[in-house]
Amino acid sequence: MAEGVRARAGAVLATVNARAGTLLAGERVALNFLQRLTGIATMTRGLVDAVAGTRAQITHTRKTTPGLRDLERYAVRVGGGVDNRASLADSVMWKDNHWVLLGSGEPGAGSSLGEVLARTPKGLTVVVEVESDAQFDAALAAGVTHVLADNRSPETVAAWVRRAGPNVTIQASGGITAANVAAYAAAGAHLISVGALTHSASAAAIGFELQG
């Protein structure tokens, strides 16, 4: 079966022809990978289906399994999600600890968000995490074009989407599940990042049976 195709229970996903010793030696490792990645793709597809008809896209976080990041990101794409940054080198991420340091006098901390952003290397996206209206206002005033609304309610996200205008990407994250993802999509979030895709997805029940 092609990747990304919905499979019914009991469907044959693939047939492998080899010597018995080879099949038995490789069976467990192959299934571990296949079950893990299929579980991620399946969970992603469920969230993608839940936000269908909206502009929201489902994405992962950097909370991936050590050594498996590329594979797990690939599984998210197979499930209909989109890529988020792969590492700290892909974009500048401004989080809660950076807000604390702002204006602290620490070397390189800067006295304003705008001052810090002015030193950002060209070509890098700056993603600013906000947790309050005051931080949101400061981000907009500094010219930020990608805001991460972390652990905010759908109502807050909706209000920030209206205030931000069409040129600012609003990304919702934190505590998002299949039960509430549609509410965040309806609120107008452009991106919805779900860490559980890569750190808590259940392995798919896939077996391997020999045929004589």
Side-chain angles (χ1 to χ4, degrees), residues 23-184:
L23 293 174
L24 293 174
E27 167 192 1
R28 191 66 260 164
V29 174
L31 283 181
N32 284 345
F33 277 102
L34 189 58
Q35 289 176 325
R36 168 72 178 160
L37 300 180
T38 300
I40 291 172
T42 300
M43 184 176 183
T44 303
R45 175 58 64 187
L47 295 175
V48 169
D49 288 348
V51 303
T54 72
R55 68 180 176 185
Q57 293 182 299
I58 301 298
T59 189
H60 51 78
T61 68
R62 289 189 301 110
K63 297 172 183 175
T64 52
T65 307
L68 298 183
R69 176 171 292 175
D70 288 344
L71 292 175
E72 292 179 345
R73 284 161 52 89
Y74 176 72
V76 169
R77 295 196 300 273
V78 170
V82 298
D83 265 335
N84 203 341
R85 63 199 184 107
S87 71
L88 292 172
D90 287 341
S91 62
V92 175
M93 186 68 188
W94 180 278
K95 294 179 66 68
D96 52 352
N97 285 330
H98 298 93
W99 284 112
V100 172
L101 290 173
L102 191 64
S104 66
E106 287 285 333
S111 59
S112 71
L113 180 55
E115 178 186 331
V116 174
L117 297 184
R119 301 201 300 267
T120 302
K122 291 184 178 180
L124 282 183
T125 300
V126 180
V127 181
V128 176
E129 178 184 298
V130 296
E131 297 180 331
S132 67
D133 286 335
Q135 290 181 356
F136 183 76
D137 291 338
L140 292 186
V144 171
T145 59
H146 191 142
V147 171
L148 176 63
D150 188 47
N151 288 301
R152 301 298 96 187
S153 68
E155 293 76 19
T156 297
V157 170
W160 287 355
V161 167
R162 290 193 296 270
R163 291 169 56 193
N167 298 322
V168 178
T169 296
I170 303 295
Q171 178 178 344
S173 71
I176 296 175
T177 66
N180 62 21
V181 67
Y184 284 95

